[in-house]
Amino acid sequence: DPALEAAAPVQPEAAPVVVPTPAPAIAADATLSQHQRAATASGLARQELARLERAFWKALVGTDLTRWQDMENDWDGSKACPPFDIVSPKSGQPGRALTFYEGDIPDGLSLEDMRKKHCTTDKMKADWAVAAAFSLLARNLYKAEHEAYDNMLQLSKANGFNGGTRGREERVRYGDDAAYSSLIRELVEK
């Protein structure tokens, strides 16, 4: 019936569904052994950790942090000292210039093997000098903050906090010492 067809709503044709094709999977090189692939992954993880370490110290130095030094000025040791909280991704102090060097690396060297003596161009020497200066700045900041923390901790310990020296109390005795003395003497004298 033509009248019914005209009254029925017209459905537009469905748009074709476009599914993006996934990127081809990176095929593992068949020539690399499992040990070599693990070493490559380990190297990438070390590079990422080094990048995070650099970023952490750059951000910290950029803040001109003096929080522990400021707290030390008002610290009287009347409570437990909070734990030291300047902890980098590698959980340590800032490294030497190598940690912050971001210049070119000569062919045949890895970043871990890079030293000042390997800087052959003026640009590499300038990059090394910047890294060395920044390293010194970061290490001095860390040292000042940690010394302030140590001073606070010692003051708290002197007042009996943070495992301080409160004096040794007499030990509690739970039994008669003489009860086993004859047995001990017998075993020792054998």
Side-chain angles (χ1 to χ4, degrees):
D1 185 317
L4 287 175
E5 285 179 16
V10 177
Q11 299 240 345
E13 280 189 37
V17 176
V18 179
V19 178
T21 58
I26 299 172
D29 188 353
T31 61
L32 291 178
S33 70
Q34 183 178 1
H35 177 71
Q36 289 170 324
R37 285 192 298 271
T40 301
S42 174
L44 292 175
R46 275 196 314 272
Q47 287 175 358
E48 179 63 14
L49 184 59
R51 188 189 63 74
L52 290 172
E53 183 80 0
R54 257 191 316 275
F56 173 84
W57 289 112
K58 284 182 177 183
L60 197 68
V61 167
T63 63
D64 286 331
L65 181 75
T66 59
R67 186 170 63 93
W68 287 97
Q69 296 169 62
D70 295 341
M71 285 184 355
E72 180 190 21
N73 294 333
D74 300 327
W75 194 257
D76 61 359
S78 62
K79 57 185 175 184
C81 182
F84 190 66
D85 60 354
I86 300 177
V87 182
S88 72
K90 287 186 176 180
S91 299
Q93 303 178 36
R96 298 282 179 178
L98 176 62
T99 305
F100 303 104
Y101 180 72
E102 295 184 48
D104 295 330
I105 300 172
D107 292 337
L109 279 181
S110 66
L111 181 59
E112 292 85 19
D113 298 330
M114 184 69 182
R115 299 291 178 266
K116 183 178 181 181
K117 66 182 178 183
H118 297 121
C119 295
T120 55
T121 66
D122 288 340
K123 175 152 179 28
M124 290 170 73
K125 290 176 183 175
D127 289 342
W128 190 270
V130 167
F134 185 83
S135 170
L136 182 63
L137 184 65
R139 285 183 287 126
N140 286 341
L141 173 68
Y142 181 87
K143 181 180 176 184
E145 288 292 288
H146 201 274
E147 283 177 359
Y149 164 76
D150 278 339
N151 293 338
M152 291 170 56
L153 182 63
Q154 294 308 316
L155 193 54
S156 289
K157 282 185 175 183
N159 290 326
F161 297 99
N162 294 90
T165 54
R166 295 185 198 137
R168 176 127 182 159
E169 295 179 21
E170 188 175 335
R171 291 185 179 195
V172 177
R173 303 203 180 267
Y174 293 103
D176 184 13
D177 288 343
Y180 295 103
S181 62
S182 60
L183 179 61
I184 293 171
R185 187 176 305 114
E186 183 182 320
L187 291 172
V188 170
E189 291 176 355
K190 280 187 179 178

